[in-house]
Structure formats: structure tokens, C-alpha cells
Amino acid sequence: MIAGGGLAGAQTAVSLRERGWDGAITLVGAEPHRPYDRPPLSKDVLLGKAEGADLGVDFEALGVELLLGRAATGVRPGAMTLDTDAGPLRYDHLVLATGAEPVTLPGTEDVPGVHTLRTLDDARRLKPVLDAGGSVVAVGAGWIGAEVATAARAAGCRITVAEAAHHPLAGALPAEVTAPMRRWYEEAGAELRTGAAVIAVHDGEVELADGTVLGADAVLVGIGSRPATGWLAGSGIELAPDGSVAADAGLRTGAPGVYAVGDCASYPAARYGGRRLLVHHWDNALTGPLTAASGITGGDAVHDPVPYFWSEQFGRYVAHAGLHGPGDVLVWRGDPDGPSWSALWLGGDGELRAVLTVDRPRDLAQGRRLLGSGARLDPERAADPSVPLKAAAR
């Protein structure tokens, strides 16, 4: 039994069949749509280049039963039962894959024209505003804010991005690395306001802390997401302080036969000293199901990937792999004012901790491999963009 109809849930079903599981598989999804991919929602779906983002999985051929439009409401591990809004379902193994839900802006829940972008229906509700060339205010200059700003400008809309922090992507990157990205907004004709906290949203207006009032046909709130685990209250399944399901290295929960994958689950990362990670990115929804499927079919796989994510914004492909900390040394590869560049973070011993690339696919591919092997780099050679990154390894 799989609770969750997103990429992680669908990939779990596929992985189980690939591992030779020949028993019944039932996937329960709250949305009425067949499992689909989320990255196209802020790109092709918003721009009308695609109606949806179906994963292309032949569930019927795999013998997977889809119960769609059916929300999970609770788990009773002692009875090995998944409760749903259409009645209980018994399971032998259960995989929790209910993903994440967007954080809302307090006080905007019932304000007309306020949107979040997490589901296919969210994208379809926002698309008419872009089709009409309306004005948009995006609250939050994170990955979603930048991608929606990109789509809005491509559609000919006026877009203002309001960010409470003093630089974009404040939750992911330091200010010195995001400084070149300010120019991307300007070149695209998007207005970026940092240090601009939103204090109120009225019908057609966004009020900032400095008293500025921005007119908007639509307001897109992109201020983060949290694990969709509220429905597990009272189940006895342990949640971490961040609300994620506290899975172990094999993505097992403390309840017998219950696993957790994707955006709703955190796990202890061995490569980071057992630090518990909650990774809300596409790649994690692909790799976690392989580990869960291994456990269900008698294997002992460990989930310990190098965190990786990517974004397409303002005509650029931006990718990040690894984790960096305040004590790491920043090394630039290439001119950040140029069309393509990379940033590396090295530990005190030269170990590569993280890499950010902008339109440098070779750096990305080599960087991910070096991160996986724990390679140490020569800082001077690593800073030379003409030297292949792998050649800078000691």
C-alpha cells in the first residue's frame, strides 16, 4: 500500500516491480489526477506548452491499482490499516509518500486572487492570469518565485517579486553567491524587491512593511513548504521537530512494515555524520523509493545520496549539489557576471562540500561524482574554469 500519488509514490510502485515484487500494489492519491511530475508546473503548464505532466507510467501493465481522489486520513499500525476518507484499507507494507504542502501567508487564506503553486490544479488556476497578461506579485524570491517570474515575463506579464530577506534564495545560498542573480531579474524586466516584507494582502493589492502598496491581478505565495504529515496525528508514527516522518537510514519508520519516502520523510545521512536531512527536491523523490523497495523485498539498502536540485530561471539552468556550511571556503569558477559560472565550497582539508553551477553542465556532472567520492581539490586548479573539475582532484 502506498499513501501518496506524487512522483515518490509512483516511483515506489515502479521500484517494487523492478525488484521482483509480485504481490498486490495499491496507490492511494488525494488528487483526482494520475501521478504527474511537478517541475513542469512552473514552466510548460503555466505557459500553455503542456496540459499536464503525466509521468507516462503504465500502471495497468504493472498491475498497480490506483485509488485517486481518495485522501489518507490516518494510520493504525497495530491493525495494519490505512484510514482514508472513503473507508479503511488493510496493508502488509505501507509506504508514506504524501509529499509536502505549501506554507501559506497568514491572513490570505480567503483573499481572492492569492495562489500557491504545488499541484496541477494550482497551475491551471494561475495560468489564465498569465494568458491575459495580468500583473503578478510573487511573495518570496526562492526557487518557485524565480521560476514563476520567468514564466510571467515570458507571457508578457508585469511581475514584482517581494522578498523579506535582503537577497534572493536566502534560505539556500549566501548573499555573495546570489548577487549576480539580481541582474537576471532586471534583464528579464522583472522587479525584485528585497528587504520587503509583506504585511497584508487585500483584493488586488499587496502592502509591504515600508508602506508601499503593489497592485496585482494575482499574488503567488512561494515562501516554502512543509511535510504533509498532519494526518498522521495519533498514529504513533514518530515525527521529527520539522514535522517530517522520522525514518531511519533504510527509510523505515518505527511502526512495523511502514516506510516513508520523498518530501514527507527525513533520514539520518551517514555522509554528513548522521545529520537528519529533510530534502524537498525532485531527485530525492526518485532515489528514496529505491531504498524503500529494497527493504520491502528483503534487501538492506541505505538512503544516503548527495542532495541535488535544479531550477530553470531567466533562461539559465541552475543546479546545486551537496551541503555547505559557514566554515567552508567559497571558490569561484568563471566570472559570475558572465553567462556561465560555478561556485564551489571546500572544507578546510580541501574536501568538496557543495557545488552550484549556472549553465556549466560538465562542472555539474563532475562535481556530483566528486561529491559522491568525498574528493579533495586543489583550490587553485579548482578556481581555473579551463581546468576540468575532475582534474583538480588531489
Side-chain angles (χ1 to χ4, degrees):
M1 183 77 62
I2 301 166
L7 175 62
Q11 187 62 30
T12 298
V14 172
S15 298
L16 283 167
R17 290 299 187 222
E18 290 177 343
R19 292 275 308 182
W21 177 263
D22 59 4
I25 300 176
T26 301
L27 186 150
V28 181
E31 295 184 55
H33 312 292
R34 291 171 64 87
Y36 59 85
D37 214 359
R38 297 191 189 277
L41 299 183
S42 59
K43 307 170 185 71
D44 292 347
V45 175
L46 274 187
L47 292 174
K49 297 179 181 179
E51 285 295 317
D54 190 273
L55 291 173
V57 176
D58 191 340
F59 292 101
E60 289 75 19
L62 289 174
V64 176
E65 181 184 18
L66 297 180
L67 299 181
L68 304 178
R70 188 165 178 172
T73 59
V75 179
R76 287 177 280 152
M80 303 194 78
T81 298
L82 174 72
D83 290 319
T84 77
D85 57 3
L89 299 168
R90 290 284 304 236
Y91 64 81
D92 295 313
H93 302 275
L94 174 64
V95 180
L96 307 176
T98 47
E101 56 194 10
V103 174
T104 58
L105 197 63
T108 65
E109 292 81 359
D110 298 317
V111 177
V114 176
H115 301 257
T116 56
L117 185 55
R118 179 71 187 178
T119 69
L120 179 58
D121 289 336
D122 289 340
R124 288 174 173 173
R125 282 189 287 267
L126 184 57
K127 181 179 177 295
V129 179
L130 272 62
D131 289 344
S135 61
V136 181
V137 171
V139 183
W143 303 109
I144 286 293
E147 291 179 3
V148 169
T150 300
R153 288 304 300 141
C157 298
R158 180 169 59 85
I159 172 79
T160 302
V161 181
E163 168 59 53
H166 292 286
H167 64 93
L169 295 171
L173 298 169
E176 59 189 316
V177 175
T178 64
M181 300 175 183
R182 289 180 176 274
R183 190 183 69 257
W184 301 355
Y185 284 83
E186 182 180 351
E187 291 173 348
E191 182 181 7
L192 173 62
R193 290 173 174 254
T194 55
V198 173
I199 61 171
V201 178
H202 311 289
D203 189 3
E205 292 184 339
V206 177
E207 184 179 353
L208 306 182
D210 65 2
T212 302
V213 176
L214 305 172
D217 295 308
V219 177
L220 183 281
V221 178
I223 55 175
S225 59
R226 58 189 166 216
T229 56
W231 64 281
L232 291 172
S235 68
I237 293 174
E238 182 186 358
L239 301 184
D242 58 16
S244 63
V245 178
D248 68 9
L251 299 184
R252 300 173 180 85
T253 73
V258 181
Y259 295 73
V261 298
D263 290 359
C264 72
S266 61
Y267 62 94
R271 70 176 63 249
Y272 299 113
R275 173 182 170 186
R276 180 163 291 278
L277 296 184
L278 172 61
V279 181
H280 281 183
H281 295 299
W282 183 86
D283 189 66
N284 189 54
L286 278 182
T287 56
L290 303 176
T291 303
S294 171
I296 290 171
T297 56
D300 57 359
V302 170
H303 187 59
D304 192 28
V306 174
Y308 162 69
F309 63 89
W310 56 272
S311 174
E312 291 177 298
Q313 49 186 267
F314 306 114
R316 296 165 176 86
Y317 187 91
V318 184
H320 184 280
L323 290 177
H324 53 82
D328 297 332
V329 176
L330 175 64
V331 176
W332 294 96
R333 277 175 64 82
D335 182 1
D337 289 327
S340 66
W341 48 274
S342 298
L344 314 175
W345 285 265
L346 304 182
D349 55 359
E351 182 182 356
L352 181 62
R353 300 287 178 82
V355 56
L356 172 76
T357 65
V358 177
D359 287 337
R360 288 185 66 92
R362 185 170 298 177
D363 279 2
L364 174 63
Q366 294 181 13
R368 291 183 72 185
R369 286 195 291 270
L370 292 168
L371 285 163
S373 66
R376 288 168 170 76
L377 306 185
D378 178 280
E380 290 188 8
R381 289 179 61 76
D384 186 344
S386 68
V387 175
L389 196 54
K390 64 182 179 181
R394 293 172 175 168

